[in-house]
């Protein structure tokens, strides 16, 4: 039996979306190796996209696949969906960057210094581009 193109051997993930057995491992492998599994590993394109979005790695997955070569050989629908995800991630990052600048300026006016923590700090430190690290908040340490 199939639901949303997902093989029946699934268990419920957070939010009720089926968490396909093996798909998470295939996405992780694609992030490591820079290649999609042959035939998408038997999973529907929509399932790959849904999982990558939910895990916050769609932009990173697109970057990894694009920089490793073979991007043009990927299904056009996948390339289009991934590129849209990257544009959304980049736009969100620009908003977050502006907010960080605004906060830093406001705190500095009052003689406070801040240290960027967790996800946003990692975005600058470990990722090729900060927008590749998904984050939903801004964590600061004030001094």
């Amino acid at each position: 039996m199939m639901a949303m193109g997902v093989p029946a051997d699934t268990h419920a993930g957070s939010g009720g979306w089926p968490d396909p057995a093996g798909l998470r491992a295939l996405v992780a492998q694609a992030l490591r190796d820079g290649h999609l599994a042959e035939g998408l590993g038997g999973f529907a394109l929509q399932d790959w996209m849904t999982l990558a979005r939910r895990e916050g790695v769609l932009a990173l997955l697109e970057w990894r696949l694009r920089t490793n070569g073979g991007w043009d050989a990927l299904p056009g629908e996948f390339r289009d969906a991934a590129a849209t995800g990257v544009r959304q991630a980049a736009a969100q990052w620009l908003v977050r960057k502006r907010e960080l600048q605004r906060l830093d300026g406001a705190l500095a006016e009052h003689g406070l210094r801040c240290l960027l923590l967790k996800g946003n700090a990692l975005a600058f430190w470990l990722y090729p581009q900060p927008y590749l690290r998904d984050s939903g908040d801004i964590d600061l340490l004030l001094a």
Side-chain angles (χ1 to χ4, degrees), residues 27-140:
V27 171
Q29 181 179 347
L31 287 167
R32 279 191 310 274
D33 302 340
H35 298 287
L36 284 182
E38 181 79 25
L40 298 177
F43 293 96
L45 173 66
Q46 186 58 42
D47 297 330
W48 276 81
M49 290 294 144
T50 300
L51 182 65
R53 277 189 199 100
R54 289 177 66 88
E55 296 295 326
V57 297
L58 182 57
L60 184 60
L61 179 62
E62 189 271 356
W63 175 85
R64 185 71 170 109
L65 295 170
R66 187 181 292 270
T67 58
N68 199 52
W71 176 253
D72 293 334
L74 297 174
E77 186 181 3
F78 183 91
R79 291 191 321 261
D80 293 346
T84 297
V86 168
R87 286 190 296 274
Q88 291 170 344
Q92 289 171 347
W93 167 247
L94 290 173
V95 170
R96 192 166 46 251
K97 179 181 174 185
R98 179 66 189 123
E99 189 63 14
L100 286 167
Q101 292 168 335
R102 189 189 68 76
L103 285 168
D104 185 50
L107 292 169
E109 284 180 16
H110 291 85
L112 295 171
R113 295 177 19 194
C114 65
L115 176 66
L116 193 57
L117 300 173
K118 297 169 56 177
N120 288 290
L122 290 174
F124 284 106
W125 184 37
L126 295 176
Y127 288 76
Q129 294 293 325
Y131 70 86
L132 297 174
R133 171 64 166 84
D134 188 34
S135 180
D137 61 359
I138 298 172
D139 298 294
L140 299 172

Side-chain angles (χ1 to χ4, degrees), residues 17-29:
W17 184 76
D19 183 11
L23 181 53
R24 196 172 255 116
L26 290 173
V27 171
Q29 181 179 347

